[in-house]
Every structure is written in C-alpha cells, then in structure tokens.
Amino acid sequence: MFGISPLGWVHTLGSLPAIPVAVYMFARHGRIVPRSGAGMIYLVSMLIGATTAFLVARQPVSYGIAGATILFLAAGYGAERLFGRTRLERYVETICLTLSAFLLMLPTITEILRRVPDGHPLAPDLDSPLLLGAQATLLAVLIIGLAAQIIFLRRQNRAVVGA
C-alpha cells in the first residue's frame, strides 16, 4: 500500500504521534514543552522517525533532514543543562524544538502529496506546483510562528523583570 516497505511503516507509524502532540502543545502552550508528558511522547516519536529515516530514505536531502532533526532535538531538550533556567535557555529550547517540528512536517507533507491517492498522487514529482506551494506555506507558517513565539517570550521576560 502506497509503496511503503515494512520498515517504512515502522518509520511512519513511529513518528506519527509527534504530529498531534506538537499541534496540542503549540495550541495549549504556544511552543513545545519538553519537560511534560506530551514533550516526552514528542521526543520519543521524533527520535524513532529521525533514526529510522536513515534506513528508509531514498533522497540525499532526507539524511540531512534526519540529522538536523536529531541535532535540534538534542539542543532543544538539552538547553536547560547547557544554560540553566535562563531566558537564553527558553529561546534556544523554543526555537530548536519549533524547527524540529518544521523538519517533521516538511517530509510529511511531501510524502503525503507524492503518495496519495495511491497510484495517482496529487504531486507526481518534486517540481509539482502543489507540492512547492505546500512547502512554501509551511515555511511561511514557520517564520510567522517563530516570530510570534519570540515576541511572546520577550513579553513574558519583560513582565517578569517589571514585576
């Protein structure tokens, strides 16, 4: 089904929980919160997806995305250890984990549009206008979302300093 190997299904189903968990945390907290139950589900699911990507990837760019995802996860989840509980830690954590979510969604959107419906995909190749438009929209959401997150963190910091 959809030309996915058994290992591909492990990759897909292993990383799938990260999507609703990320949506939940963005809606509830405005960011991915690593020190929470949902944050741990996100981490485990993302690590399954990123590590298995090295085994199922067909495009060289996929290795780069998987490697970058692992680095962003390590930086985001390790920011508190590196910087302590500081303002810098919150910025690094928020930016890195938001970038990891972007790197999850980029291949997800690409694979869905290139595989669905089975046998007659919506985007038959990587140069498809629909695919390029979806990727550009995702990039715009990332830029707007990161800007909103940084503004929110700055306002939070000012409120703490002013109190």
Side-chain angles (χ1 to χ4, degrees), residues 75-146:
Y77 279 83
E80 185 178 5
R81 287 187 181 194
L82 290 173
F83 305 109
R85 285 198 151 278
T86 62
R87 284 184 265 173
L88 179 60
E89 174 261 337
R90 291 282 301 264
Y91 284 102
V92 169
E93 178 182 280
T94 299
I95 291 167
C96 287
L97 295 179
T98 297
L99 287 169
S100 76
F102 170 76
L103 291 177
L104 166 68
M105 293 310 300
L106 187 62
T108 299
I109 286 175
T110 302
E111 288 300 311
I112 288 171
L113 292 176
R114 294 198 61 219
R115 292 181 186 267
V116 175
D118 196 16
H120 300 290
L122 296 169
D125 58 52
L126 291 174
D127 294 327
S128 166
L130 177 63
L131 178 59
L132 295 175
Q135 292 171 337
T137 300
L138 187 60
L139 179 61
V141 169
L142 171 69
I143 292 167
I144 293 166
L146 273 176

Side-chain angles (χ1 to χ4, degrees), residues 1-9 11 52-64 111 114-115 126:
M1 179 184 223
F2 300 114
I4 300 177
S5 69
L7 185 56
W9 280 111
H11 164 75
T52 57
F54 289 107
L55 303 173
V56 299
R58 294 185 190 150
Q59 301 290 329
V61 70
S62 300
Y63 300 114
E111 288 300 311
R114 294 198 61 219
R115 292 181 186 267
L126 291 174

